[in-house]
Amino acid sequence: MKYWCQYRVLEPPGVSEKSVPIELVVTDHRYSPPNISISHEKIVEVGTNVTIQCCNQGYGGIIFLHKDGHSAPLQHQDPRGGGTATFILVAVTPADSGTYRCSYHPKASLFVSSPLGDSVTLEVTPTPARPGAELVSRGNLVVAVVRGCAAVLIFGLGIFFVIDARSLWIRRDESLGGEGI
């Protein structure tokens, strides 16, 4: 059932707009909780597609995927004729880490829900560096150090040649001055 709020004022006379409707769903423990399974290990890398299946043991109706910490279900499916829904989390990120559960609304009453079923926990980890990446990084460091040393050597040689050239000019000027020019 859906509910909303609205109010009336006397001065000036008027009626407010209706609030956003909410849906009241009652958990009925006479229905057994759904089963849940996950397609991968519980720890996956960023970018992996993860499949979560929920089975309501033949009650029909709509199956919901919940994530702990969220008030509303993340996804829902009507498996039409079957009791299993397949939810795909595409290219997961660390934000998808968490605990997931399922529930269902039996076909007989859409305002009645099963209890939440058992949980599966998903942990999404950053993608590790590819093999050999550390060697490439070390190689880049070696290249940078060699280039730095070469620059210092070239600078030092440049200073040496400037100083040496200056001393040659001084000697030349002295020798020219000694001949009486």
Side-chain angles (χ1 to χ4, degrees):
M1 298 186 173
K2 292 195 179 204
Y3 294 89
W4 62 88
C5 294
Q6 186 176 33
Y7 63 90
R8 259 181 229 270
V9 290
L10 299 176
E11 291 295 325
V15 178
S16 72
E17 292 184 28
K18 290 180 179 179
S19 68
V20 175
I22 62 167
E23 186 175 81
L24 179 63
V25 178
V26 177
T27 300
D28 188 342
H29 291 278
R30 291 179 293 179
Y31 292 101
S32 57
N35 297 323
I36 189 169
S37 63
I38 192 166
S39 63
H40 288 77
E41 296 296 321
K42 292 180 182 185
I43 300 175
V44 298
E45 293 178 1
V46 167
T48 304
N49 292 342
V50 175
T51 302
I52 297 176
Q53 285 194 320
C54 301
C55 178
N56 71 3
Q57 298 136 10
Y59 284 103
I62 301 171
I63 300 176
F64 295 86
L65 178 65
H66 303 267
K67 182 178 179 189
D68 285 4
H70 293 256
S71 58
L74 296 179
Q75 299 181 36
H76 66 277
Q77 284 184 19
D78 183 353
R80 301 203 188 275
T84 301
T86 301
F87 301 101
I88 300 173
L89 305 177
V90 178
V92 294
T93 67
D96 295 307
S97 294
T99 301
Y100 292 84
R101 303 171 196 274
C102 299
S103 70
Y104 59 92
H105 292 191
K107 201 177 270 187
S109 177
L110 295 180
F111 299 108
V112 172
S113 176
S114 72
L116 288 172
D118 290 338
S119 65
V120 293
T121 300
L122 176 65
E123 183 181 340
V124 181
T125 61
T127 306
R130 65 185 192 283
E134 187 178 320
L135 294 176
V136 170
S137 177
R138 285 186 190 153
N140 289 341
L141 178 61
V142 169
V143 168
V145 168
V146 168
R147 285 181 180 167
C149 290
V152 167
L153 179 65
I154 290 170
F155 180 76
L157 287 173
I159 296 293
F160 172 77
F161 285 122
V162 167
I163 292 172
D164 190 50
R166 184 177 168 157
S167 69
L168 287 174
W169 278 101
I170 291 171
R171 276 193 245 140
R172 192 192 96 191
D173 288 346
E174 289 173 354
S175 67
L176 290 177
E179 293 177 1
I181 297 180

